[in-house]
Amino acid sequence: MPRPTARVLTLLELLQSGGTRTVAELADRLGVEGRTVRRYVDQLIDLDVPVESVRGRYGGYRLAPGYRLPPLMLSDDEALAVLLGLVAGRRAGLTTTQHTANETASAKIRRVLPQHNAGRLDTLLAALAFTDRPGEFDTPDAGVLLTIADAVRHRRPVSIRYTDRDGRRSERTLHAYGIVAHAGRWYVTGKDARIGEDRTFRLDRIADARTLPGSFEAPVGTGPAQRVLSGFATAEYRHEVTLRIHGTVEQIRAHLPASVASLEEHEPAAGQDRATERWLRVELRAEQLDWLPPVLASLDRPFVIERPDELRDLVAALADRLASCARRA
């Protein structure tokens, strides 16, 4: 349980984020009763923090206008980098379950910046537009994220309570190799100690994390990010697809990234030149196949479908539709 001093500092942080906070709201955020909130306010006033009492139906407490903490020494470039990072993190979904943390952090930075710099940065952010829409993601609990990060750093086992995509709950002991941010979500990759196999878990599906005694040795070689991408490419889905594509790794990866497909060299037939007959075997798994024919067409490389037959039919149907459109006057 936080000590009273920690709660007083938390109260100051809440007031610094701006606006008037009701006693009920502050009591709920601090986990105390209303009279305790009033006592904490008195302690801030004793420390010369100008907390004002606002009367009325929507009254409560606020900081006096113009109050500033000691200056935060940021150059224009540094302040811009911090604020743009907060904006990008919010849009990408890389935040914690406290959705207001991003906004309150931005507000605090603006409060301590010189007025000239703050005005210029606000002007830039107001003029900034994005071509994509902000994603709506389930975000991980900050405590879970930090606990697992500490376990990764110190190579300590961690007990997690996990809910999979089918809603099944389980408790696992994980030897976590690393935390990976991918496509707006947080993942942790490591060995599931019970089954002795590597697994990848979404952090927002972990309800609780607790560090355990002991230690483990992390494997060498493939890094956490590549492990996560490889896990996506080999996940269990309805269809298993095998292709041979004539092209380079770069040409294929531009359309089929590592999170979608795995690549390996395809040995040319006897008598064929390896340099001119550069074929790669591509394997992937998919729940639906309808997205693959347009991707293969956009590759603009020779390819052979080894399996499944259903994909051949879909590619032929797409070719017929394109040919029909091309013949129209």
Side-chain angles (χ1 to χ4, degrees), residues 80 83 110 115-128:
L80 177 61
L83 291 177
R110 287 184 173 87
Q115 185 174 1
H116 172 68
N117 289 346
R120 293 179 65 189
L121 292 174
D122 284 339
T123 299
L124 171 61
L125 294 176
L128 184 63

Side-chain angles (χ1 to χ4, degrees), residues 62-78:
R62 67 184 181 192
L63 291 180
Y67 173 72
R68 295 290 186 272
L69 289 174
L72 179 63
M73 303 303 293
L74 290 178
S75 67
D76 287 1
D77 288 343
E78 290 170 338

Side-chain angles (χ1 to χ4, degrees), residues 95-168:
T95 58
T96 68
T97 52
Q98 298 179 2
H99 297 292
T100 59
N102 197 292
E103 286 75 11
T104 56
S106 298
K108 290 176 184 177
I109 292 174
R110 287 184 173 87
R111 285 177 63 88
V112 297
L113 286 176
Q115 185 174 1
H116 172 68
N117 289 346
R120 293 179 65 189
L121 292 174
D122 284 339
T123 299
L124 171 61
L125 294 176
L128 184 63
F130 293 86
T131 58
D132 62 329
R133 296 181 179 181
E136 292 295 333
F137 301 106
D138 295 324
T139 51
D141 178 79
V144 168
L145 181 63
L146 294 176
T147 297
I148 293 180
D150 185 73
V152 169
R153 179 177 182 181
H154 298 288
R155 300 295 183 229
R156 300 281 299 278
V158 61
S159 173
I160 62 173
R161 288 194 290 113
Y162 190 71
T163 303
D164 65 17
R165 62 182 178 184
D166 296 321
R168 295 187 296 263

Side-chain angles (χ1 to χ4, degrees), residues 10-216:
T10 302
L11 171 61
L12 177 57
E13 288 185 0
L14 292 171
L15 295 176
Q16 282 175 196
S17 62
T20 300
R21 304 275 185 164
T22 66
V23 174
E25 178 187 2
L26 293 172
D28 180 67
R29 295 291 297 272
L30 296 173
V32 298
E33 296 180 353
R35 60 184 178 182
T36 305
V37 171
R38 297 182 180 91
R39 188 169 70 248
Y40 291 164
V41 168
D42 291 338
Q43 292 183 34
L44 289 177
I45 294 174
D46 290 340
L47 294 171
D48 294 326
V49 177
V51 181
E52 294 183 341
S53 177
V54 180
R55 298 183 180 276
R57 179 179 179 184
Y58 301 103
Y61 294 104
R62 67 184 181 192
L63 291 180
Y67 173 72
R68 295 290 186 272
L69 289 174
L72 179 63
M73 303 303 293
L74 290 178
S75 67
D76 287 1
D77 288 343
E78 290 170 338
L80 177 61
V82 172
L83 291 177
L84 289 180
L86 290 170
V87 171
R90 182 173 67 250
R91 292 184 63 88
L94 301 180
T95 58
T96 68
T97 52
Q98 298 179 2
H99 297 292
T100 59
N102 197 292
E103 286 75 11
T104 56
S106 298
K108 290 176 184 177
I109 292 174
R110 287 184 173 87
R111 285 177 63 88
V112 297
L113 286 176
Q115 185 174 1
H116 172 68
N117 289 346
R120 293 179 65 189
L121 292 174
D122 284 339
T123 299
L124 171 61
L125 294 176
L128 184 63
F130 293 86
T131 58
D132 62 329
R133 296 181 179 181
E136 292 295 333
F137 301 106
D138 295 324
T139 51
D141 178 79
V144 168
L145 181 63
L146 294 176
T147 297
I148 293 180
D150 185 73
V152 169
R153 179 177 182 181
H154 298 288
R155 300 295 183 229
R156 300 281 299 278
V158 61
S159 173
I160 62 173
R161 288 194 290 113
Y162 190 71
T163 303
D164 65 17
R165 62 182 178 184
D166 296 321
R168 295 187 296 263
R169 299 179 180 179
S170 61
E171 185 162 342
R172 305 164 184 256
T173 297
L174 180 67
H175 294 173
Y177 304 150
I179 295 172
V180 178
H182 172 71
R185 296 196 186 280
W186 297 91
Y187 298 89
V188 57
T189 182
K191 177 180 289 186
D192 187 326
R194 181 176 60 85
I195 61 177
E197 296 181 0
D198 287 355
R199 289 289 185 268
T200 295
F201 302 96
R202 269 176 48 177
L203 277 170
D204 60 279
R205 291 177 175 167
I206 298 177
D208 182 63
R210 177 171 50 88
T211 305
L212 300 175
S215 62
F216 65 91

